[in-house]
Amino acid sequence: MAGAPGYRDGMNHRDEARDFLSSRRARITPEQAGVETFGTRRRVTGLRREEVSRLAGVSIDYYTRLERGNLQGVSDSVLDAIAGALQLDPAEHEHLRDLARHQNATPRRAGRVVPVAAVRPELQYLLDAITEAPAMIINNRQDIVAANDLGYAMHADLFTGGARPAGPANFARFIFLDPQARNFYQDWQRAAHTNVAILRREAGRAPNDRDLAALIGELSMRSDDFRELWAAHDVRRHYAGVKSFRHAVVGPLELHFQTLELAEDPGLALTIYPATPGSPTADALRLLASWAATEHIGERARQRT
């Protein structure tokens, strides 16, 4: 599944499991896995199926069944063994478990997942109480569903760019369809790869979310960059780190970020971008806050949300 327009119908569990496992196997060399090759010629650089099965302690027939996309009835212990053999990181391991869980779910439990459409007033109060750092709440499709004034000001281009249709501002559409994104992100390639890896993880967690499937289908049709990155089958957790931006009004920003999933609001996550105290970015955020107040950025952005 390389991002074909048919993805608009949602994730095919078997196709995704097949492609994900084969892509992870192709990534691991015998040397990395500690497999002795005895100087034999190999047609591929990655591991062979029989090598993965041996490392995981399962039969070659059983592993072949799994890599063909059939995860029906597979136990957590076998998934853990496969994850160890393929050296999956925590996000990849979780993705494999998600794929198995949805294959084994009953029709009732496998129904469409619908994130909440709007934030509770209490969450907006929380955002507004954060006055020295951009803060926002996004859903599993990477829509900005709420923010504080600094959050709206930091991402002003998302609310004015030509790539934005009616509805919430969306990070994925901005990154892949709006030329301004290549200036806003100091490392656009990294931002693009991270965004796709997050969307694939979310698709694994909510494979029947039609709106998420429609977004992925749209980007697959409209962006060569998105299609190429989607075909890599990478997944990622993205909860903390440092990001670098180039804001059109205040210039470079180097911000820490922390993302927290909101347990009482399925599908929503809060992200806060604090600056290092006393840094040039901290000064830039104060300037950004002044600009946002003067231009009424938050009020204008909320009217567009």
Side-chain angles (χ1 to χ4, degrees), residues 219-286:
L219 295 171
S220 296
M221 295 179 66
R222 298 180 63 186
S223 170
D224 292 340
D225 292 313
F226 182 88
R227 281 196 301 275
E228 180 179 349
L229 289 168
W230 187 257
H233 290 272
D234 292 334
V235 294
R236 179 174 295 184
R237 292 174 173 175
H238 200 58
Y239 293 138
V242 178
K243 290 186 179 182
S244 297
F245 306 94
R246 188 180 298 105
H247 195 276
V249 174
V250 300
L253 297 170
E254 185 170 287
L255 295 164
H256 306 276
F257 74 92
Q258 186 74 47
T259 297
L260 306 172
E261 293 188 351
L262 302 176
E264 298 300 318
D265 301 85
L268 297 186
L270 167 68
T271 299
I272 304 173
Y273 288 95
T276 300
S279 67
T281 294
D283 295 335
L285 286 184
R286 284 190 285 272

Side-chain angles (χ1 to χ4, degrees), residues 21 24-37 42 45-64 66-67 77-88:
L21 284 173
R24 300 308 90 173
R25 176 168 61 86
R27 182 189 62 179
I28 302 297
T29 66
E31 292 76 18
Q32 290 172 324
V35 172
E36 180 60 64
T37 61
R42 304 174 67 92
T45 58
L47 292 177
R48 294 168 175 162
R49 284 180 177 173
E50 59 267 25
E51 291 167 340
V52 176
S53 70
R54 187 166 64 249
L55 289 168
V58 299
S59 71
I60 177 61
D61 289 340
Y62 189 71
Y63 177 73
T64 298
L66 298 181
E67 196 174 293
S77 61
V78 169
L79 292 176
D80 294 346
I82 297 298
L86 294 175
Q87 300 181 17
L88 303 186

Side-chain angles (χ1 to χ4, degrees), residues 23 103 137 160 194 212 252-253 260 263:
S23 70
Q103 276 199 36
I137 293 174
T160 60
T194 298
L212 176 59
L253 297 170
L260 306 172

